Amino acid sequence: MVLRLTSRTGQPCSYTQTLKEYGLNLIECFTLEAAHNAVNDGCRVGLLIVTQEAELAHLDKCEPFISNNKISWVGLIAQELISTPRMREFIGEHLFNFITLPADLDHIALTLRHAWGMAFMRDVQHTACAAPLAEDEDFVMVGQTPEMQRLFSQIQKVARTDATVLITGPSGTGKEVAALSIHRQSARRNAPFVAVNCGAIAPQLFQSELFGYEKGAFTGANQRKIGRIEAAQGGTLFLDEIGDMPIDMQVNLLRFLQEKTIERVGGNDSVEIDVRVIAATHVDLAEAVLQGRFREDLYYRINVVCMSMPPLADRGQDIEDIAKYYFAKFASVHNRSLRGFSKAAMNAMLSHSWPGNVRELVNRVQRATVMAEGRFIQPEDLGFERNDPHNQMMSLEDARAAAESMMIRRALSQSRNQISRAASLLGVSRVTLYRLIEKYNIRPDIVASARTPFLGNAKHDLGAHK
């Protein structure tokens, strides 16, 4: 694939014409849409041509696409542009290699073939790493949307290290599956993966469950018990819902994370522990720190690498892909006569808000494979009402209005109801934002309720508008 930043579309480059004589199959792209199509068709090497200073202005626009790690990029750069800071930064961050113009054609062809070879090896390695995940059908991550592809890329990167990871996101989005995916792609894959639900352990049992205890430590301790942390020795310790951990236990966990040693309850000996820690929570830990419900030093200790799981409602096409994946799994067990989802059922799923996220979708599909009587699953089988207005396909105008209203509310919440800041986040003027607030009848007190400590500034800002 040859990506041209020039606006003179349709004008072929002399280099690409000549390189075709070397047996290279080159696709010249003048737009990002054409480049995306080339990637979807299997292209794995890109040739970026930058010959004029005016083309540097287009780098920001194409940077998100070029940063896609599926492509190995080689640059053909004009000699006089190499010295510009922006070009040098771009080359260092995104290009596999670069060649200054004018260039020898043999050199270009050799570099492109080398880039293709590296891309091929990377694809083989990715396939090999991903293969074990398919062995356990209960822990599979399904997704083709850009959000999930970015998440898969992050998982691959952090799996190569032992850095502590914090996974955030609403309940049911698959935080434990993401943690298990990291473990299975890491060097610790053959060691234990121990999951601890911090919100399900009684406070009085927390220390003995996590750190274990010695025989005679308390009444009923008839023998030594190994705690969850020690059971994960050499592997991965997954602390689920860490935001629900009792505040008095957080200091003990912090000491373990700092010193990598524990002491069993009733014992005096320190036990060295070698584990990789992954934590997850649906709680806003930064807010919990401000409210005194979570220790600030522990927050920074676990928040080395932060990954966010997107809500299912924001994942579009993934809803259909996940539904079909679990349909194939459950139908083979419960109802082999089923052929799939009816159009009405699929529309109901695509328009549902999914407050329970992936967990809710999996449960509804499993229910449907049990309850369905015909050859195709209907909305009623999934627990939806056929004429439920919430499951009707919205018009494009209604969908646009709903999206605008949601983004305005989110921006106001993030900016603590400061209109200037919210307008900047949305990329609109203050006047436009005021007009949209009135158009969608967004009440300040509702938007502000999620950020109670900051109501003073919010009311003042919105009050000034009134």
Side-chain angles (χ1 to χ4, degrees):
M1 172 178 56
V2 181
L3 181 60
R4 303 285 304 280
L5 300 182
T6 178
S7 60
R8 295 175 294 175
T9 59
Q11 190 173 14
C13 173
S14 59
Y15 281 100
T16 60
Q17 293 298 310
T18 310
L19 285 170
K20 290 180 179 179
E21 299 175 3
Y22 281 72
L24 299 174
N25 182 18
L26 300 179
I27 305 172
E28 200 156 9
C29 304
F30 291 90
T31 66
L32 289 179
E33 181 180 0
H36 277 290
N37 292 336
V39 174
N40 293 335
D41 290 339
C43 185
R44 287 296 175 265
V45 176
L47 182 63
L48 176 68
I49 301 178
V50 185
T51 59
Q52 302 174 23
E53 187 173 0
E55 293 173 348
L56 296 179
H58 298 281
L59 291 178
D60 290 338
K61 182 179 179 181
C62 69
E63 187 168 17
F65 171 72
I66 289 181
S67 63
N68 183 338
N69 64 358
K70 291 182 179 179
I71 302 291
S72 293
W73 286 96
V74 175
L76 286 185
I77 315 295
Q79 177 70 47
E80 62 272 16
L81 299 180
I82 297 296
S83 60
T84 61
R86 179 65 179 118
M87 192 73 254
R88 292 167 66 178
E89 177 188 15
F90 194 88
I91 291 172
E93 291 185 2
H94 303 299
L95 300 190
F96 167 76
N97 205 341
F98 75 98
I99 302 171
T100 56
L101 296 175
D104 179 68
L105 289 172
D106 290 333
H107 186 193
I108 298 176
L110 179 63
T111 304
L112 290 175
R113 289 193 173 100
H114 186 197
W116 186 91
M118 293 300 292
F120 174 78
M121 295 299 295
R122 184 173 60 245
D123 286 348
V124 170
Q125 182 182 17
H126 175 73
T127 303
C129 290
L133 300 181
E135 294 176 0
D136 190 343
E137 294 183 351
D138 291 329
F139 295 94
V140 174
M141 300 184 72
V142 179
Q144 295 295 327
T145 55
E147 294 85 356
M148 292 305 293
Q149 291 302 310
R150 282 194 293 270
L151 180 65
F152 294 153
S153 176
Q154 288 180 322
I155 288 174
Q156 246 189 327
K157 291 177 182 177
V158 301
R160 296 194 293 262
T161 74
D162 268 347
T164 304
V165 179
L166 175 64
I167 305 175
T168 64
S171 296
T173 50
K175 296 187 289 293
E176 183 172 355
V177 178
L180 188 57
S181 178
I182 294 172
H183 171 72
R184 287 177 170 174
Q185 296 183 53
S186 72
R188 298 176 180 267
R189 65 176 69 90
N190 295 322
F193 176 87
V194 178
V196 180
N197 189 333
C198 299
I201 302 176
Q204 61 271 25
L205 300 177
F206 219 102
Q207 190 159 350
S208 59
E209 281 292 320
L210 246 63
F211 300 99
Y213 54 80
E214 297 286 359
K215 180 179 179 180
F218 48 82
T219 303
N222 299 322
Q223 60 182 5
R224 172 189 287 178
K225 178 184 176 181
I226 299 300
R228 304 285 188 88
I229 294 176
E230 194 172 351
Q233 185 75 272
T236 301
L237 177 68
F238 176 56
L239 300 173
D240 196 11
E241 300 303 350
I242 194 171
D244 297 332
M245 178 178 286
I247 190 73
D248 55 338
M249 275 302 303
Q250 293 175 19
V251 64
N252 294 329
L253 179 63
L254 178 64
R255 173 179 290 182
F256 154 66
L257 293 174
Q258 289 174 336
E259 301 180 3
K260 300 296 183 182
T261 61
I262 63 167
E263 289 184 7
R264 303 186 191 100
V265 177
N268 297 318
D269 297 332
S270 293
V271 181
E272 291 189 3
I273 302 294
D274 172 29
V275 297
R276 197 253 182 90
V277 176
I278 302 177
T281 182
H282 71 282
V283 176
D284 183 347
L285 290 185
E287 187 71 22
V289 169
L290 293 176
Q291 296 177 2
R293 295 184 291 109
F294 200 83
R295 291 181 62 97
E296 185 175 17
D297 45 7
L298 178 58
Y299 171 65
Y300 289 115
R301 175 64 64 173
I302 64 175
N303 191 21
V304 178
V305 177
C306 185
M307 299 168 55
S308 180
M309 300 295 294
L312 181 59
D314 294 345
R315 292 175 55 183
Q317 179 62 35
D318 284 348
I319 296 173
E320 182 175 347
D321 293 340
I322 295 171
K324 288 181 176 178
Y325 173 84
Y326 282 100
F327 167 81
K329 175 185 176 182
F330 295 134
S332 64
V333 176
H334 301 305
N335 192 341
R336 292 180 178 271
S337 64
L338 282 173
R339 293 292 178 266
F341 298 93
S342 68
K343 186 175 181 180
M346 188 58 70
N347 286 340
M349 287 191 292
L350 292 174
S351 55
H352 186 54
S353 60
W354 297 111
N357 294 292
V358 178
R359 185 183 295 124
E360 179 187 355
L361 175 57
V362 173
N363 289 345
R364 285 185 182 271
V365 172
Q366 185 172 19
R367 163 202 166 108
T369 58
V370 173
M371 302 300 294
E373 297 180 353
R375 296 182 65 190
F376 291 92
I377 291 175
Q378 302 298 328
E380 296 87 347
D381 302 323
L382 291 162
F384 298 130
E385 294 296 332
R386 183 176 290 272
N387 297 319
D388 188 347
H390 294 291
N391 293 325
Q392 296 292 324
M393 186 64 71
M394 288 190 293
S395 67
L396 195 58
E397 183 178 355
D398 291 341
R400 186 182 297 112
E404 283 187 350
S405 177
M406 179 189 68
M407 294 307 298
I408 291 170
R409 292 175 186 274
R410 185 176 297 177
L412 288 171
S413 176
Q414 288 187 8
S415 64
R416 302 167 185 171
N417 280 4
Q418 295 178 3
I419 294 295
S420 299
R421 175 62 178 156
S424 176
L425 290 173
L426 294 169
V428 299
S429 67
R430 287 168 54 96
V431 174
T432 300
L433 181 55
Y434 282 132
R435 178 177 58 79
L436 291 172
I437 289 174
E438 293 180 355
K439 176 181 177 181
Y440 296 118
N441 194 27
I442 298 175
R443 293 172 53 192
D445 55 330
I446 293 179
V447 175
S449 62
R451 300 270 188 182
T452 305
F454 306 105
L455 283 175
N457 293 340
K459 290 180 177 177
H460 175 76
D461 196 356
L462 288 168
H465 169 56
K466 295 179 181 179

